[in-house]
Structure formats: C-alpha cells, structure tokens
Amino acid sequence: AQKVTQAQTEISVVEKEDVTLDCVYETRDTTYYLFWYKQPPSGELVFLIRRNSFDEQNEISGRYSWNFQKSTSSFNFTITASQVVDSAVYFCALSEAFGGSQGNLIFGKGTKLSVKP
Amino acid sequence: ETGVTQSPTHLIKTRGQQVTLRCSSQSGHNTVSWYQQALGQGPQFIFQYYREEENGRGNFPPRFSGLQFPNYSSELNVNALELDDSALYLCASSSPLGTSSYNEQFFGPGTRLTVL
C-alpha cells in the first residue's frame, strides 16, 4: 500500500532561520510522482513541486530546495532564510503514474510551520 | 490563483440532509478529483472524473457520488449526511493524459461543510 509519513506535526522557527520538513513515503510502484503543497490559512492548496521517481536530482527554486533520495524513500523540503509569509501547513504527497486512479494523490498529515518575526 | 473555482464557500447542514458541492475546472483540464480534508488531517481522495466517467474511487461509501459535465465542471453529492462528514472539500483539476504537466493537480479554494 502507498503511504506518506510526515513525522513533524508542528515546527516553530524565528525569521531567517533555515528549516527542513521531512517526508518519507512507501510504495511498491517503480514509477511514481512526489509532490509538495502549501496550504495557507485560506485553505487553498498551492502546488510547489512535482518530481518523478526517475529524477533524483535535487532542485532549488529561490529559497526553496528539495532533496529526493530513493535509497531512504525520502523527499525532504528545505526553506532557507524563512519568512513570516512561509507560515502555513505543508503537505507531501505521492501518486502512482498509471492505473485506474491516475493522478490520485496520497497525502501525509502535514507539517504546520510557524515563522515568528 | 489556479483558475479552479468551488461553490459554495461555506455550508451548514443537519444530519440526514443531502448536499451538492460544485467545482469548475481550470481551462483545458478534463480531469477533476475530489478530496475530503478533516480538521488537522491531510486531504483524502474521494473519487476522480475523466471525460464524464468515474475514473477511480477512494475508500468512501456510495452515499458520496459525483457527476462531471461536458464542460468538465463537476458536482459532489453527499446523501444522508453524518457528523463526520464535516470537513473541507477540495476539488482539483488536471491536464489530459500525455501532456507535460500530467499528474499535476491544481486545487480550488474548497467548500467548508459543517454538519450539525
């Protein structure tokens, strides 16, 4: 069965600190996609990144970076020099690439990040 | 903003009633998925519609049903509401199979349903 675990329920940091959000996944598929979404208090899920299982290159986008390691089934997300606007709940998600439920996302329980000024 | 819209924003119902939630997908997207997000939890997949047909279903009872229309907008219907149905209901649209952004789902703002 597919599963996503985000062990950190809540994290609180002071502005400008770096913070890493952990994500561990389980799947028997050899082809799959991993995602990170941000959910601000307004409730809308904001897409941050998608990686496929064949691409283990780390990615950097501004202050955001992602570390994908198949050997440990992890897809961690780091925010550098955090800002108050980064405060939100962050979800890691997994989807299979093929099958009857193409695009079905399996979410972790989320990590609530609070960035204090 | 993603271009995915949902209505209504908030809804209050009583146990046993029926409810219909609506979703308009982003332009060019022919697949719509529905998720239920209970308080403090991650979203859980309810079902997906592709070209007006149900294309996958999560672990939800038959009283959760849906429709997709020719313009790819969608409805989620829930019959015989229970207290545990109180949640944020999210709709997501995605691109057709074969496009470069396949599997990337864009979410609407959600409908918050309260069942009393």
Side-chain angles (χ1 to χ4, degrees):
Chain A
Q2 297 182 321
K3 185 180 177 182
V4 175
T5 301
Q6 294 179 255
Q8 304 149 310
T9 307
E10 291 193 43
I11 299 176
S12 182
V13 299
V14 176
E15 210 170 17
K16 297 185 183 177
E17 282 186 27
D18 298 346
V19 58
T20 295
L21 309 182
D22 297 333
C23 172
V24 173
Y25 63 92
E26 295 175 30
T27 180
R28 293 180 183 172
D29 296 331
T30 55
T31 305
Y32 51 89
Y33 291 91
L34 294 165
F35 302 79
W36 276 94
Y37 283 86
K38 173 182 180 180
Q39 188 174 45
S42 61
E44 184 169 339
L45 282 168
V46 178
F47 168 81
L48 295 178
I49 189 171
R50 176 191 62 169
R51 305 293 291 190
N52 73 52
S53 51
F54 297 112
D55 184 0
E56 284 192 74
Q57 280 199 349
N58 291 332
E59 183 158 337
I60 297 174
S61 176
R63 296 185 297 107
Y64 295 170
S65 62
W66 291 270
N67 183 346
F68 176 26
Q69 292 194 350
K70 285 179 78 170
S71 61
T72 55
S73 297
S74 65
F75 185 43
N76 296 338
F77 173 31
T78 297
I79 301 175
T80 303
S82 60
Q83 299 176 1
V84 173
V85 293
D86 295 328
S87 296
V89 181
Y90 290 86
F91 290 97
C92 179
L94 166 72
S95 83
E96 57 187 356
F98 304 103
S101 299
Q102 293 170 346
N104 167 26
L105 290 169
I106 296 164
F107 286 86
K109 292 189 175 182
T111 297
K112 183 177 180 180
L113 174 64
S114 299
V115 181
K116 301 186 187 310
Chain B
E1 290 192 4
T2 63
V4 179
T5 60
Q6 292 186 244
S7 63
T9 307
H10 295 88
L11 203 51
I12 299 175
K13 292 283 189 179
T14 56
R15 205 167 42 177
Q17 284 189 313
Q18 178 264 344
V19 69
T20 297
L21 310 182
R22 295 178 175 82
C23 170
S24 292
S25 60
Q26 187 176 105
S27 177
H29 288 183
N30 61 5
T31 303
V32 172
S33 303
W34 286 91
Y35 293 82
Q36 180 196 66
Q37 186 179 13
L39 197 62
Q41 301 294 314
Q44 287 202 323
F45 175 69
I46 303 175
F47 45 55
Q48 182 183 84
Y49 277 83
Y50 170 64
R51 291 185 176 178
E52 303 177 56
E53 299 277 337
E54 188 178 289
N55 182 44
R57 188 179 183 91
N59 190 24
F60 281 81
R63 59 189 185 84
F64 285 79
S65 63
L67 282 174
Q68 187 178 32
F69 300 99
N71 67 354
Y72 304 131
S73 66
S74 177
E75 286 183 355
L76 163 64
N77 299 291
V78 187
N79 293 323
L81 283 167
E82 301 176 359
L83 297 179
D84 285 348
D85 296 334
S86 295
L88 179 68
Y89 287 85
L90 294 162
C91 159
S93 73
S94 50
S95 300
L97 177 65
T99 62
S100 61
S101 58
Y102 177 65
N103 256 14
E104 187 173 305
Q105 297 192 8
F106 295 89
F107 284 82
T111 294
R112 187 162 296 283
L113 172 65
T114 302
V115 182
L116 303 176

